[in-house]
Amino acid sequence: MVKKSKSSRQWLQNHQEDEYVRRARKDGYRSRASYKLLEINEKFNLIGPGARIVDLGAAPGGWSQVAVRLAGKQAMVIAVDMLPMDALDGVRFIQGDFEKDETYEELMLQTAGQPVDLVISDMAPNLSGMKDVDQPRSAWLVELAVEYADRVLRPGGALVAKCFEGEGIEALRGAFRCRFDRMSNFKPRASRQKSREIYLIGRGYEGRRS
């Protein structure tokens, strides 16, 4: 049996005592991240009945759970992740790497040419702890989400993407501003205080403008 390091034991203890971890267990959500999307939706009112939603970086399914609960049985919710995800009623799941052509094309087939109301992306790279590596990698995933949104969002649609404050963040904000009528920065209360993560939220998709 491998003995846990002191830092690992401390992380596990903090995780178990986390308010949102306890709430997720009580409310039946798969992860504490569910409360981030709930807060985002409460503030920006992005998910309505019957919405067509694509969830990028979905596993273990916390955001998809929120999406399908808020949008209802008539919704179309499609989730994709390279990790496996247990089935969720009302959610179509694609297991694959969003950066790979075959996964991307499968996702396009699943939407069957229907315009999408909302793209949500909680994608993040496997963090190495080296800022010079992690920050560009994170920004690249946001760029992919923006490019995908260009292909599928209906006029007036919305995009939510996780980012990390640091080098390249202004370019990402610019990418949102040149596509959406409104761009917001939002850090949910459910985000850990020490984390540099924020969410860029674009509303009122107008197509890419120069």
Side-chain angles (χ1 to χ4, degrees), residues 31-196:
S31 74
R32 69 188 305 286
S34 297
Y35 297 98
K36 299 175 188 179
L37 185 57
L38 285 166
E39 285 184 60
I40 290 168
N41 189 66
E42 182 179 0
K43 184 171 180 63
F44 298 101
N45 192 30
L46 302 176
I47 304 174
R52 296 182 298 274
I53 302 167
V54 175
D55 182 3
L56 306 176
W63 276 30
S64 289
Q65 275 185 299
V66 170
V68 81
R69 287 187 184 185
L70 292 175
K73 292 182 178 180
Q74 301 305 312
M76 180 192 79
V77 180
I78 301 172
V80 61
D81 202 296
M82 61 195 306
L83 298 174
M85 188 176 96
D86 290 340
L88 276 169
D89 286 343
V91 177
R92 290 181 246 165
F93 176 63
I94 301 167
Q95 184 173 353
D97 186 345
F98 182 64
E99 297 180 72
K100 299 290 180 63
D101 289 344
E102 57 267 29
T103 304
Y104 195 97
E105 292 308 317
E106 176 62 22
L107 190 51
M108 295 300 294
L109 285 172
Q110 286 292 327
T111 55
Q114 297 181 65
V116 169
D117 298 303
L118 173 65
V119 175
I120 51 179
S121 173
D122 205 27
M123 291 191 294
N126 290 324
L127 299 178
S128 67
M130 295 182 289
K131 191 174 180 180
D132 291 346
V133 174
D134 296 337
Q135 187 70 18
R137 181 74 176 139
S138 170
W140 168 242
L141 293 174
V142 179
E143 290 171 11
L144 289 179
V146 170
E147 290 176 6
Y148 174 70
D150 278 336
R151 291 191 67 181
V152 301
L153 274 184
R154 65 167 174 80
L159 169 64
V160 176
K162 174 157 69 179
C163 308
F164 294 91
E165 288 282 11
E167 186 176 353
I169 188 70
E170 286 305 323
L172 295 176
R173 289 182 176 121
F176 272 67
R177 289 190 184 104
C178 77
R179 289 167 169 84
F180 295 92
D181 177 55
R182 289 154 291 168
M183 191 281 292
S184 302
N185 303 277
F186 186 65
K187 186 176 179 70
R189 294 185 302 276
S191 289
R192 290 188 168 93
Q193 269 192 327
K194 292 181 180 179
S195 174
R196 293 181 297 112

